[in-house]
Amino acid sequence: MKRLALSPAQLRAAEVAFWLLLACSFFLAPDHLTLLSQILLFGLFAVSLDMALGYAGILTVGHAAFFGAGAYAAGLLARHGWGEPFTGLLAALLVAGALGYALSYMVVRGADLTRLMITIGVCVLLYELVNRLSGITGGTDGLQGMVVWPVAGLFEFDLFGKTAFVYAYAMVLLMFLLVRRVLRSPFGLALRGIHDNRKRMLAIGSPVESRLRMAYAFSAAIAGVAGALLAQTTQFVGIESISFNRSAEILIILVLGGTGRLYGGLIGAIVYMLVHDGFADLNPEYWMFWLGIFLIAVVMVGRGGIMGVLSRLVRVKEQAR
């Protein structure tokens, strides 16, 4: 099959069109703004996981620990009298980033199976900690009583989800541009090199472990922001936000979209959550069965996820020198 050739300018235009289409969904699907907001937030969460797994090559199955930490950081601030949204995001970023950096000393040094066990163990431990501290976190009932102030002091969160969607869209776009900037920097290129050939990067004197620790911490911080956005837009934090099931779900989303590809997490979130919602409406009793069939079919047909299929259909033209 002949591949479609796109110039860098056409590729940038397609990227702009993608974000404009997401923005236009505010007008095209006004009755589904809550679902659209969650798609954006889980897309950002998947992008954060992709930085650790797809770019740095750190095998982790407990990323919900950082998502939940960010959600509870913003939620506890709002519950105890400080509901300013941007401050809550900053607190979530710092808490999740600090937690990720502390854990990176164990995660980075281990082999793949060790990393799996550590990340799963941390996620389970934090889940039980949140459950035990029910007087602070709400336990299985969730953190309630959050009062999030209007965005910029002007736009209150409404029942229809309009403010929540615009706020989520703006913050997700900002975080995505930040992630893209980091991954295209010399630091991001070094992560690519470490992922492809760690021994060669060590041989040329690259500080492999310190860069992996920074990548893991940055990935955790972005996941924390995604969790805080979910807490603020729903004004509720459920204990499932820090559960292992949430980690497994976001891993499925990333694999569906394609690991190691900038838009894989976002595309995966869009497809997974729309299909999830569609099957739940069509067959409320057996929707998980049909969702499982769909995921197996996609993995069998599309090696490398949806973005992998697109990369085999489209190539970028080399710029003339």
Side-chain angles (χ1 to χ4, degrees):
M1 179 183 289
K2 188 176 180 180
R3 299 170 69 187
L4 177 65
L6 295 179
S7 67
Q10 290 174 320
L11 204 60
R12 286 192 295 271
E15 186 177 17
V16 171
F18 172 81
W19 286 101
L20 286 177
L21 184 60
L22 283 179
C24 289
S25 63
F26 179 86
F27 305 101
L28 298 175
D31 296 330
H32 298 86
L33 292 180
T34 300
L35 174 63
L36 293 171
S37 298
Q38 292 190 1
I39 288 174
L40 288 169
L41 303 182
F42 281 101
L44 180 62
F45 186 17
V47 168
S48 74
L49 176 61
D50 195 24
M51 185 172 186
L53 179 62
Y55 285 88
I58 301 173
L59 191 58
T60 171
V61 196
H63 230 56
F66 311 119
F67 183 83
Y72 277 101
L76 287 170
L77 269 181
R79 184 182 182 184
H80 293 286
W82 189 259
E84 203 284 314
F86 299 117
T87 309
L89 293 185
L90 179 60
L93 185 145
L94 294 175
V95 168
L99 178 61
Y101 190 75
L103 292 176
S104 68
Y105 282 88
M106 293 187 293
V107 173
V108 167
R109 292 186 179 182
D112 284 346
L113 288 178
T114 305
R115 292 170 180 172
L116 279 175
M117 294 304 295
I118 290 173
T119 53
I120 292 173
V122 168
C123 190
V124 172
L125 283 172
L126 288 178
Y127 179 88
E128 286 303 321
L129 182 64
V130 169
N131 191 25
R132 289 294 183 92
L133 298 176
S134 57
I136 300 173
T137 64
T140 54
D141 293 330
L143 183 65
Q144 303 177 32
M146 289 178 56
V147 179
V148 182
W149 300 349
V151 179
L154 299 173
F155 307 101
E156 293 186 1
F157 288 93
D158 57 278
L159 294 175
F160 303 101
K162 294 180 179 180
T163 300
F165 175 81
V166 175
Y167 175 60
Y169 176 86
M171 291 299 102
V172 168
L173 177 58
L174 181 63
M175 289 295 106
F176 181 83
L177 292 175
L178 176 62
V179 171
R180 185 176 70 170
R181 177 79 178 189
V182 170
L183 292 177
R184 292 183 177 180
S185 69
F187 174 76
L189 295 177
L191 289 181
R192 284 266 190 189
I194 294 168
H195 181 272
D196 293 340
N197 197 321
R198 179 172 181 150
K199 291 182 179 179
R200 183 170 293 178
M201 293 299 290
L202 284 169
I204 64 175
S206 177
V208 170
E209 285 197 2
S210 65
R211 283 179 171 164
L212 288 178
R213 285 197 298 270
M214 290 301 298
Y216 193 71
F218 184 76
S219 169
I222 299 300
V225 171
L229 284 169
L230 182 62
Q232 291 175 344
T233 53
T234 60
Q235 301 199 24
F236 175 79
V237 183
I239 195 172
E240 68 277 358
S241 65
I242 204 166
S243 67
F244 176 72
N245 289 341
R246 180 57 51 86
S247 292
E249 183 180 37
I250 207 65
L251 182 60
I252 290 172
I253 287 174
L254 180 58
V255 172
L256 177 63
T259 60
R261 305 173 188 276
L262 197 56
Y263 278 89
L266 289 170
I267 298 296
I270 292 170
V271 174
Y272 176 84
M273 297 197 71
L274 288 179
V275 171
H276 180 293
D277 189 65
F279 283 144
D281 285 342
L282 288 174
N283 195 331
E285 189 174 359
Y286 299 109
W287 64 270
M288 290 189 70
F289 172 81
W290 298 111
L291 180 62
I293 294 293
F294 170 77
L295 293 174
I296 292 172
V298 171
V299 172
M300 294 293 291
V301 174
R303 180 172 53 87
I306 297 171
M307 291 299 293
V309 173
L310 291 178
S311 68
R312 290 191 290 275
L313 297 176
V314 178
R315 68 178 179 86
V316 182
K317 296 178 182 177
E318 294 184 3
Q319 291 180 313
R321 296 181 179 179

